[in-house]
Amino acid sequence: MMVKARAPRNSLTRERVVACAVTLADRDGVPALTMRALADELGVRPMAIYNHVANKEDILDALVDHVFGEVYLPVADGAWREELASRSRSLRLALGRHQWATALMETRVRPGEATLTNHEAVLDVLLSNGFSLSAAAHAYAVVDAFVYGFALQEAMLASIDLPSSAQTIRDAMDLTKFPRMAQFAGEHVMQPGYSFADSFEVGLAMVIDGAGALR
Amino acid sequence: MMVKARAPRNSLTRERVVACAVTLADRDGVPALTMRALADELGVRPMAIYNHVANKEDILDALVDHVFGEVYLPVADGAWREELASRSRSLRLALGRHQWATALMETRVRPGEATLTNHEAVLDVLLSNGFSLSAAAHAYAVVDAFVYGFALQEAMLASIDLPSSAQTIRDAMDLTKFPRMAQFAGEHVMQPGYSFADSFEVGLAMVIDGAGALR
DNA sequence: ACCTGAACACCGTTCAAGT
DNA sequence: ACCTGAACACCGTTCAAGT
């Protein structure tokens, strides 16, 4: 835990605080994101941060909004399928870059500017392309459920590194008790070329086709 | 924070600790689930808990596994579509009863007995009903992504109570900036009979039909 | 207006001591 | 074997004080 050089007065801003918090969360995880660690990284005393954010909750809210700020904004006059797919891929990648995001979203309920802007753009794509309000509601809910859930699964798998640990799991587990998992691990997951990520496009096609059927 | 009566010696077990932790997390949320609060609820001193669990991480792992213990175990000789749908509905309900579960899952990577057992049952349903290993992998990933993601969205919405706060949001927001959201809120979400939950069956049908196409 | 130091009421967990 | 008390190194945040 090395202490950074002291930052000059008036150099601290809300943006710097949030950007630094994102970096810290990416690098060390949310549990390590303490006001003290953040202050240290910013070259400032913990209480200085409170001049720019209300409290830690405020920072966590901003963290989630920051992630949405990285997500592609679909345009309403494009082909709706491709726009929806692009924004879904972009959302998945953003959630993948910031593995803490899905878990954090669950407790954050104050949506920020970037979140609302993205939400608005998606709704505009749907409503401008023949979706009724009801169809748009279903389509949006289903597509986002898939993207969030896929990102969640990838985050779960990321900390375990499936291929390399599958062998360990297979050894440790009672194979007579979980024969399907043993088969699945040995004959599929551990084979060269397997990638969980490949299922993303498969599922995305399903939910976007399904959305099209609602239109 | 009332202190419970002191529990008699030898009455503490790992099962009681975990069950109490689930109750506490349901009632007050995970942040309020501290070793001290848990001990208080159990009628014991904090350190007594450590005779039955390794540490707090161990409890959090057990919490997630407890949720999977509530999920329907599909049977392989049934109709695979109905079995998959039942276990998906059951999983969604379990995640809904324990709103903290999806967020916790992201950081827990040591799957427990109940988790593995459920995983095994789902794989068995797919592999016993004509799915190749590759098709089963895609189907499982996509269906679970949808269920996890839907539960995550419901958890997000639960803490906000959409219908009642939609008006507030609509008033507070710059309507010229988010016209689609204003329209969506006013003409759809706030209408009587609207329920986000209705999108679950719509999406479930999409992903299960999609899975069938992979078979 | 912005930053700091000391302090308060919390955490999870250790260790030695009790039964 | 199981439980406790005191202690340690942490938390987020308050408040009064500095510049």
Side-chain angles (χ1 to χ4, degrees):
Chain A
M1 186 196 304
M2 60 163 287
V3 179
K4 294 278 157 107
R6 187 64 129 279
R9 211 181 161 89
N10 278 349
S11 68
L12 205 57
T13 63
R14 182 185 169 87
E15 287 66 39
R16 282 230 310 134
V17 170
V18 173
C20 187
V22 170
T23 307
L24 223 50
D26 287 345
R27 199 185 63 198
D28 304 328
V30 172
L33 178 61
T34 68
M35 296 302 278
R36 284 164 162 92
L38 186 54
D40 212 50
E41 192 77 17
L42 287 163
V44 100
R45 300 297 174 200
M47 287 314 298
I49 297 173
Y50 288 83
N51 284 300
H52 303 92
V53 300
N55 47 34
K56 193 175 180 181
E57 288 287 293
D58 189 16
I59 295 179
L60 297 180
D61 281 333
L63 241 44
V64 171
D65 203 51
H66 175 96
V67 174
F68 274 98
E70 295 182 0
V71 178
Y72 173 70
L73 281 179
V75 294
D77 54 359
W80 72 266
R81 283 173 191 275
E82 212 29 72
E83 289 301 312
L84 206 53
S86 296
R87 119 89 215 202
S88 297
R89 293 186 188 108
S90 172
L91 176 55
R92 174 202 165 214
L93 290 176
L95 295 174
R97 276 190 297 270
H98 312 292
Q99 306 261 358
W100 38 266
T102 40
L104 217 49
M105 280 176 7
E106 183 166 295
T107 33
R108 309 295 107 203
V109 285
R110 186 151 338 179
E113 184 83 9
T115 307
L116 292 172
T117 301
N118 198 277
H119 201 149
E120 173 76 14
V122 174
L123 277 181
D124 196 27
V125 166
L126 295 170
L127 297 177
S128 300
N129 284 280
F131 282 83
S132 69
L133 287 166
S134 168
H138 286 316
Y140 199 0
V142 172
V143 171
D144 262 20
F146 169 70
V147 177
Y148 289 145
F150 199 88
L152 184 69
Q153 290 188 94
E154 286 191 300
M156 287 162 51
L157 293 173
S159 14
I160 212 178
D161 184 27
L162 199 56
S164 78
S165 69
Q167 183 64 53
T168 321
I169 293 174
R170 209 160 61 115
D171 292 346
M173 273 177 356
D174 182 351
L175 297 190
T176 62
K177 208 169 168 187
F178 304 115
R180 289 306 199 182
M181 289 186 61
Q183 177 191 6
F184 192 70
E187 297 173 26
H188 188 60
V189 173
M190 291 178 65
Q191 295 301 312
Y194 168 81
S195 169
F196 181 83
D198 291 345
S199 294
F200 184 75
E201 288 296 329
V202 173
L204 185 61
M206 287 186 203
V207 291
I208 289 188
D209 284 351
L214 297 172
R215 201 167 63 123
Chain B
M1 186 194 303
M2 61 162 289
V3 179
K4 293 280 157 106
R6 186 66 129 280
R9 211 181 161 88
N10 278 351
S11 68
L12 205 57
T13 63
R14 181 185 169 88
E15 286 66 39
R16 281 228 312 130
V17 170
V18 173
C20 188
V22 169
T23 307
L24 224 51
D26 286 346
R27 199 184 66 197
D28 304 328
V30 172
L33 178 60
T34 66
M35 297 301 278
R36 284 165 162 93
L38 185 54
D40 212 50
E41 192 77 17
L42 287 163
V44 98
R45 300 297 175 199
M47 287 314 299
I49 297 172
Y50 288 84
N51 283 299
H52 303 90
V53 301
N55 47 35
K56 194 175 180 183
E57 289 286 294
D58 189 16
I59 295 179
L60 297 181
D61 281 333
L63 240 44
V64 171
D65 204 51
H66 174 97
V67 174
F68 274 96
E70 294 181 3
V71 179
Y72 173 70
L73 280 179
V75 294
D77 53 0
W80 72 266
R81 283 174 191 274
E82 215 26 76
E83 289 301 313
L84 205 53
S86 295
R87 119 87 216 202
S88 296
R89 293 187 188 105
S90 173
L91 175 55
R92 173 201 166 215
L93 290 175
L95 295 173
R97 277 190 297 271
H98 311 294
Q99 306 260 357
W100 37 267
T102 40
L104 259 193
M105 280 175 9
E106 183 166 297
T107 32
R108 309 295 109 201
V109 286
R110 186 154 337 181
E113 184 83 9
T115 306
L116 292 171
T117 301
N118 198 277
H119 201 148
E120 173 77 13
V122 174
L123 278 181
D124 196 27
V125 166
L126 295 171
L127 297 178
S128 300
N129 283 281
F131 282 82
S132 68
L133 287 167
S134 167
H138 286 316
Y140 199 0
V142 172
V143 171
D144 262 21
F146 169 70
V147 176
Y148 289 145
F150 199 89
L152 184 69
Q153 289 188 94
E154 285 190 300
M156 286 162 51
L157 291 173
S159 14
I160 211 179
D161 183 28
L162 198 56
S164 79
S165 69
Q167 183 64 53
T168 321
I169 292 173
R170 211 162 60 115
D171 293 344
M173 273 179 355
D174 182 351
L175 297 190
T176 62
K177 208 167 166 188
F178 303 115
R180 289 305 199 183
M181 289 186 61
Q183 177 191 6
F184 192 70
E187 297 173 28
H188 188 60
V189 173
M190 291 178 66
Q191 296 300 311
Y194 167 82
S195 169
F196 181 83
D198 291 345
S199 294
F200 184 74
E201 289 295 330
V202 173
L204 186 59
M206 287 185 203
V207 291
I208 289 188
D209 284 352
L214 297 173
R215 200 167 63 120

